[in-house]
Amino acid sequence: MGRVVLSIFTSADGVVGDPQRFTFQFVSEDSMRTGLAQLRAADALLLGRVTYEGFAASWPTMTDEAGFADKMNTMPKYVVSTTLDRGEWNNTTVISENAAEAIAKLKAEVDGDILVYGSVALVRWLLRNELVDELRLVTYPVVMGGGVRLFAESNEPAVLRLVDAQAFDSGVVVLTYAPTRVKLVGWGQEPEAPGGEG
């Protein structure tokens, strides 16, 4: 049985939009090792359209000795979108309808992790629909002051359970949580299914 695992880069004040603005200066050997181990544990990628198109425009031409590019380019990819007709990136399947059923079926078919990078609208929808098994907030020691945040404003809290915490030499901390299914309305209000924006 596969697990849906979210891996989200966030600033200390919760900004997740345009993470390239605050992440590159904190790359370290230990964070690279952890990132590669996370990727190797995954059997598939699950992405929203915007993140998918950004990845598809860059990863196919990348190479590296560690193996990031080979894994990214060869593994199965699933993009949830109502506006994308087909995916040009190798091994891509577009999920355009019945997303909850398709993801539940995918979880039953794979043994490893189903890794989600970025994809804010999709992540909110996955959380609200109780399809997430693990949430990894890769938290950078930067205060952005403004920008897109992962969680929409809500009058209700949503409870998480901390299952692991890891600090890197750079000051970056990975906080790994499991959803507790408590007051999930706190994940913010998104459409019933993720649309073309994510």
Side-chain angles (χ1 to χ4, degrees):
M1 187 74 177
R3 305 184 310 153
V4 172
V5 175
L6 313 182
S7 183
I8 311 296
F9 291 173
T10 176
S11 67
D13 57 340
V15 173
V16 296
D18 298 323
Q20 65 273 11
R21 293 183 301 159
F22 58 82
T23 57
F24 290 136
Q25 63 182 304
F26 296 100
V27 173
S28 59
E29 288 187 10
D30 50 357
S31 67
M32 294 292 285
R33 285 195 302 270
T34 297
L36 184 57
Q38 172 180 261
L39 186 59
R40 285 177 172 164
D43 278 353
L45 289 179
L46 178 65
L47 304 168
R49 179 185 60 80
V50 174
T51 301
Y52 171 83
E53 289 182 336
F55 282 9
S58 56
W59 277 107
T61 58
M62 288 188 186
T63 59
D64 65 275
E65 294 182 2
F68 281 98
D70 283 346
K71 179 70 172 180
M72 290 288 286
N73 287 317
T74 57
M75 70 192 305
K77 303 150 192 80
Y78 297 84
V79 54
V80 181
S81 175
T82 57
T83 60
L84 190 66
D85 293 326
R86 60 177 184 164
E88 301 293 341
W89 195 9
N90 188 39
N91 295 332
T92 292
T93 299
V94 177
I95 300 173
S96 58
E97 57 185 21
N98 301 321
E101 292 178 20
I103 293 167
K105 181 180 178 182
L106 179 61
K107 289 178 70 171
E109 291 175 347
V110 304
D111 293 324
D113 293 341
I114 302 163
L115 190 57
V116 183
Y117 290 120
S119 309
V120 174
L122 174 61
V123 164
R124 290 175 180 171
W125 179 84
L126 289 168
L127 287 164
R128 259 199 19 264
N129 284 273
E130 300 187 359
L131 291 169
V132 173
D133 298 286
E134 197 164 273
L135 169 60
R136 297 172 185 164
L137 293 179
V138 186
T139 307
Y140 287 77
V142 175
V143 175
M144 297 302 294
V148 176
R149 299 177 189 278
L150 179 59
F151 304 114
E153 290 188 14
S154 172
N155 293 324
E156 297 287 344
V159 179
L160 298 170
R161 177 172 58 86
L162 182 68
V163 295
D164 189 48
Q166 181 180 12
F168 299 135
D169 294 340
S170 61
V172 175
V173 177
V174 180
L175 300 173
T176 302
Y177 295 100
T180 62
R181 317 304 189 207
V182 177
K183 292 184 180 291
L184 284 178
V185 291
W187 297 124
Q189 302 305 310
E190 292 295 328
E192 272 191 27
E197 76 280 1

